[in-house]
Amino acid sequence: MIGYQEQEEIQEEQREPEDATFATVGAVYDDGVSLIFDGEETPTEKHYKVNAFVVFKANDRVRIIKDSGTYVVEYPIGSPKTSFNADTADRAAYATGATNATKATNADKAITAQKLESGRTISLAGDASGNATFDGSKNISINATVNNAKQAEQLKTARNIKLTGDVTGSASFSGAVDANIAATCARSTAVKNAYKPTTSSWDIYFYSKGSGELYYKIGSSGALYRLQNA
């Protein structure tokens, strides 16, 4: 008596065409792919072995060949491709995208690479300027120049402000608060001595002119000064 599984296999073989050269991938499995043969609408239950160097996907139109009583899937067919994607490769000579490649000779997109094909300029902006070229082959340093230093609330090191010349004095200034300098006039003693009387008493002389104006002078040889009306 034929079991259910054996009956399914017999029916599958009966549905399998004798001399097919093309088919469509129904689904991809770990042990092979199911096929939709020309003239059929549903994929086979049987899983067919494939070319292990090709990545297949559902709905791929494929070339098949019969070997040892069964079909083997050789490769997909369709319009020509100008590039392909290399997921992992030590060297991708021609690839649209290389997910992880040690060297991509000609690639539209290399997700991971040891070196950029064209170095990029990294520039500083804002309060500092400077730039350097980076291609990924080595670390870089940027020589930065401060454009406009921001105002500080306080000096890191307080500075001494000193008065010199005819006036002396000093004060420490850090910028945290206003500074006051106690100034001393270096010539104050000389000025005071210049106007110090040389005698203990002075003679004051008063004069009257015909116009009624009063004048005075200190000492007999002093300058004459007019008295103002009170």
Side-chain angles (χ1 to χ4, degrees), residues 16 25 50 61 75-76 84 86 101 117 132 140 153 159 171 188 204 206 208 221:
E16 194 176 83
V25 175
V50 301
R61 185 69 172 164
Y75 47 79
F84 65 94
E117 182 179 1
I140 62 170
E153 293 181 357
R159 300 301 180 184
S188 60
I204 302 175
F206 294 92
S208 175
S221 60

Side-chain angles (χ1 to χ4, degrees), residues 7-75:
Q7 185 176 359
E8 286 292 319
E9 291 178 356
I10 292 173
Q11 290 178 354
E12 193 70 50
E13 290 177 358
Q14 289 175 348
R15 283 201 307 154
E16 194 176 83
E18 288 292 331
D19 298 312
T21 54
F22 298 100
T24 301
V25 175
V28 178
Y29 302 92
D30 292 338
D31 59 346
V33 299
S34 61
L35 294 175
I36 303 174
F37 290 104
D38 292 348
E40 299 290 339
E41 296 182 356
T42 57
T44 61
E45 294 292 334
K46 182 178 179 179
H47 298 170
Y48 294 88
K49 298 299 181 183
V50 301
N51 181 352
F53 287 93
V54 178
V55 177
F56 294 91
K57 63 181 182 299
N59 299 320
D60 276 349
R61 185 69 172 164
V62 292
R63 173 83 159 94
I64 59 176
I65 185 172
K66 199 162 191 178
D67 187 9
S68 301
T70 187
Y71 285 104
V72 177
V73 182
E74 291 188 295
Y75 47 79

Side-chain angles (χ1 to χ4, degrees), residues 115-133:
K115 182 179 178 180
L116 298 174
E117 182 179 1
S118 300
R120 302 298 182 185
T121 300
I122 299 177
S123 300
L124 304 179
D127 292 333
S129 61
N131 62 76
T133 301

Side-chain angles (χ1 to χ4, degrees), residues 200-224:
S200 59
S201 62
W202 291 347
D203 293 328
I204 302 175
Y205 298 87
F206 294 92
Y207 299 90
S208 175
K209 290 188 176 183
S211 60
E213 294 178 340
L214 292 177
Y215 292 84
Y216 74 94
K217 66 178 180 179
I218 299 175
S220 60
S221 60
L224 190 65

Side-chain angles (χ1 to χ4, degrees), residues 34-194:
S34 61
L35 294 175
I36 303 174
F37 290 104
D38 292 348
E40 299 290 339
E41 296 182 356
T42 57
T44 61
E45 294 292 334
K46 182 178 179 179
H47 298 170
Y48 294 88
K49 298 299 181 183
V50 301
N51 181 352
F53 287 93
V54 178
V55 177
F56 294 91
K57 63 181 182 299
N59 299 320
D60 276 349
R61 185 69 172 164
V62 292
R63 173 83 159 94
I64 59 176
I65 185 172
K66 199 162 191 178
D67 187 9
S68 301
T70 187
Y71 285 104
V72 177
V73 182
E74 291 188 295
Y75 47 79
I77 60 172
S79 300
K81 288 186 176 181
T82 57
S83 59
F84 65 94
N85 184 75
D87 292 330
T88 302
D90 290 335
R91 176 170 177 171
Y94 293 90
T96 301
T99 303
N100 192 340
T102 302
K103 182 177 180 181
T105 303
N106 190 343
D108 293 336
K109 182 179 181 182
I111 297 176
T112 301
Q114 291 181 342
K115 182 179 178 180
L116 298 174
E117 182 179 1
S118 300
R120 302 298 182 185
T121 300
I122 299 177
S123 300
L124 304 179
D127 292 333
S129 61
N131 62 76
T133 301
F134 178 73
D135 63 4
S137 61
K138 61 182 178 180
N139 296 330
I140 62 170
S141 296
I142 298 177
N143 185 20
T145 301
V146 176
N147 298 329
N148 293 306
K150 291 184 176 180
Q151 296 179 352
E153 293 181 357
Q154 186 173 343
L155 296 175
K156 183 178 181 181
T157 303
R159 300 301 180 184
N160 192 47
I161 301 176
K162 182 182 290 185
L163 303 178
T164 60
D166 293 341
V167 179
T168 60
S170 66
S172 178
F173 180 73
S174 67
V177 295
D178 295 337
N180 293 314
I181 301 177
T184 301
C185 181
R187 296 185 178 181
S188 60
T189 302
V191 172
K192 181 169 63 176
N193 291 336

